[in-house]
Amino acid sequence: MVSESPSRRSAFAELSHAELASLVPELLLSGQLIDRSGMAHSIKAFGREGMAAVAIEEWQVASPVYTRRMQRALNFTGDDVVTIFKGLQLDIGAPPQFMDFRFRVDDPRHGEFWLDHCGALADVEPMGEDYVRSMCHDIEDPTFDATALATNPHARVRPIHRPPRVPADRHPVCAWTVVIDPAHEPPPIPPNADIVAESAAARVELDPIDPDDPGRPDYSGPLLSDLRFTDFSRAALIRMADEVCLQHHLLALGFVIAIRSRTDAASATEIVRKQFTGIAGLTSERLRDALGLGRDEAALARVLALHPAWNPLRYTGVRVETGDSEVALRLPKASGAIADGVWPTVVDADHLAPLEAMARGVDPHYVAEVAADTDDELVVRFRLGDTAFRESGEVAITRFSTGADFRFTDRGIPLPLTVV
């Protein structure tokens, strides 16, 4: 039985409204954890300063592209502070609650945000003040501006205070102003921005949201203190899920470009494969738990079908098949993802580590085997073995993040944020 069509339908269309509302924040958090996986290997290859440079480059080129995509999809295009803040609420750089952004709007051109909790800071503080400064100063300054300029090129994001925290338990952990002023000189366009802007991921067309589906069809209207995903329509959540998966791929593309500019092709592929392996395994585990799935073949098939690495289907063309107590993953050798050179390109018949990690995030007993390797596709079959495999080092590194065990909570009815 084929579990989804690779050409027209979203894999997320198989889910109920409740499942989608649980899954979207999980996908946002998974996108944040991509860097928990990739940056560890960047530090090893290039040192702390090189890692920071890679992070700056990947977010600078990716976030403006996916921010504008989400604005169009959810119908909140504009050029003011409210539009910037709405974009942050649907950005893998700011997953809800884990990166607990709070907002204040003074007028359309002035506002503030602060973080009551920062999961990224919780991950980095144990590494020492130099790493905190790399993240909260070196990386945040140019990347916050890059995200804001997707809405208005004259927007500037500047700190009120930020870590290292003094005192050590200071709350909120940081606070920032956002000011839009025509006198602000737009920052220069970063190198390689055109590659990402013209990528297949940037240009893939997804189905519009059905406005007649029950629930909120978009994010027009006031800025809300939190997004309660159950308030959105099923159609809106399906589109959100696919857009968030594209955010993963666009960030991965930015990472690939930054890594390849710093090392030879073989070393770059190895780093990207390790990044993919780490996030693939942890994401499978969290998807399994979020949907209340078991560990059998049906659970694995569902996790594979919904994994952000293989979505949206119009971008990856991946198929998942089940039958005879086995699950098969069909990876085409021609797709938008292959053309962009992102995660599917580092998987081949001799390099199945990301797929093994993905399956073992559901159950550590899964074995991955090549069933077919043709000019058109790679087919990998999964079956339950007798022996549990140890967690890979790449997944263990990613699990270092507090996001690995993070749990979302119901915060009740969100409040509209009006001008102070």
Side-chain angles (χ1 to χ4, degrees):
M1 177 184 70
V2 179
S3 60
E4 74 268 344
S5 165
S7 58
R8 290 287 178 257
R9 200 169 185 212
S10 169
F12 301 104
E14 303 294 333
L15 298 179
S16 69
H17 182 269
E19 288 172 327
L20 284 162
S22 296
L23 196 68
V24 170
E26 285 290 341
L27 294 173
L28 286 164
L29 178 56
S30 172
Q32 167 68 206
L33 298 182
I34 291 171
D35 267 1
R36 301 288 79 73
S37 177
M39 290 309 145
H41 305 293
S42 299
I43 292 169
K44 182 178 179 180
F46 312 118
R48 177 179 56 81
E49 292 182 355
M51 172 277 296
V54 168
I56 291 167
E57 290 177 28
E58 65 168 347
W59 289 97
Q60 275 187 320
V61 297
S63 66
V65 176
Y66 66 62
T67 295
R68 294 186 185 108
R69 282 194 61 100
M70 191 67 83
Q71 288 174 348
R72 294 191 297 268
L74 273 294
N75 191 29
F76 62 93
T77 55
D79 63 358
D80 59 2
V81 165
V82 165
T83 306
I84 293 171
F85 290 167
K86 285 182 177 182
L88 285 171
Q89 290 177 312
L90 289 163
D91 189 319
I92 58 174
Q97 300 182 25
F98 184 70
M99 305 288 287
D100 196 9
F101 279 69
R102 307 286 89 194
F103 302 101
R104 189 183 84 182
V105 179
D106 297 318
D107 60 52
R109 301 298 183 219
H110 299 82
E112 294 182 8
F113 67 83
W114 59 95
L115 272 71
D116 279 347
H117 172 76
C118 178
L121 181 63
D123 293 346
V124 171
E125 274 186 327
M127 299 172 68
E129 187 171 306
D130 286 344
Y131 280 92
V132 171
R133 288 189 178 277
S134 288
M135 182 179 74
C136 301
H137 293 243
D138 301 339
I139 296 173
E140 295 293 21
D141 283 352
T143 56
F144 270 148
D145 276 350
T147 299
L149 71 82
T151 298
N152 193 312
H154 300 289
R156 281 186 180 172
V157 182
R158 294 294 181 267
I160 300 170
H161 68 84
R162 55 180 162 178
R165 290 191 283 174
V166 180
D169 60 349
R170 183 174 188 174
H171 282 86
V173 298
C174 65
W176 303 73
T177 62
V178 180
V179 176
I180 298 172
D181 187 332
H184 289 164
E185 187 73 22
I189 298 173
N192 302 312
D194 57 329
I195 297 175
V196 179
E198 296 168 8
S199 66
R203 293 181 286 108
V204 65
E205 293 186 13
L206 301 173
D207 290 334
I209 297 167
D210 181 356
D212 297 322
D213 203 33
R216 290 191 61 149
D218 57 35
Y219 195 11
S220 59
L223 172 70
L224 300 174
S225 57
D226 290 292
L227 289 189
R228 189 168 64 170
F229 292 98
T230 54
D231 292 339
F232 288 90
S233 70
R234 186 169 171 276
L237 291 170
I238 291 169
R239 179 62 183 270
M240 276 188 209
D242 275 328
E243 290 290 346
V244 174
C245 291
L246 280 173
Q247 292 187 17
H248 288 64
H249 292 291
L250 285 161
L251 188 66
L253 177 56
F255 183 78
V256 167
I257 293 169
I259 294 296
R260 287 180 176 167
S261 70
R262 287 169 167 77
T263 189
D264 61 88
S267 298
T269 297
E270 182 181 4
I271 292 171
V272 173
R273 187 180 293 120
K274 288 179 176 180
Q275 177 210 41
F276 184 19
T277 300
I279 192 60
L282 190 58
T283 298
S284 284
E285 181 182 315
R286 289 193 61 94
L287 291 180
R288 179 200 65 193
D289 293 346
L291 295 173
L293 302 176
R295 298 169 178 264
D296 59 5
E297 291 83 358
L300 176 60
R302 203 168 198 215
V303 168
L304 291 177
L306 300 173
H307 202 288
W310 312 134
N311 286 287
L313 299 179
R314 289 181 182 173
Y315 180 61
T316 70
V318 168
R319 289 186 294 161
V320 179
E321 298 177 348
T322 59
D324 298 327
S325 298
E326 291 182 343
V327 178
L329 185 70
R330 292 184 172 272
L331 300 171
K333 295 186 177 179
S335 69
I338 295 296
D340 284 345
V342 291
W343 287 330
T345 62
V346 300
V347 176
D348 59 40
D350 297 318
H351 298 94
L352 300 181
L355 305 188
E356 292 169 339
M358 200 175 288
R360 291 167 192 167
V362 176
D363 188 283
H365 291 81
Y366 274 109
V367 177
E369 302 169 330
V370 174
D373 186 12
T374 70
D375 291 341
D376 296 325
E377 65 177 358
L378 173 69
V379 183
V380 178
R381 181 174 56 225
F382 301 90
R383 60 176 177 81
L384 282 167
D386 297 327
T387 304
F389 291 87
R390 293 181 60 183
E391 183 171 80
S392 73
E394 291 84 358
V395 176
I397 287 171
T398 312
R399 195 181 296 282
F400 167 81
S401 172
T402 57
D405 298 316
F406 188 81
R407 295 293 177 263
F408 297 99
T409 60
D410 183 354
R411 291 185 166 181
I413 299 173
L415 300 175
L417 299 178
T418 56
V419 174
V420 175

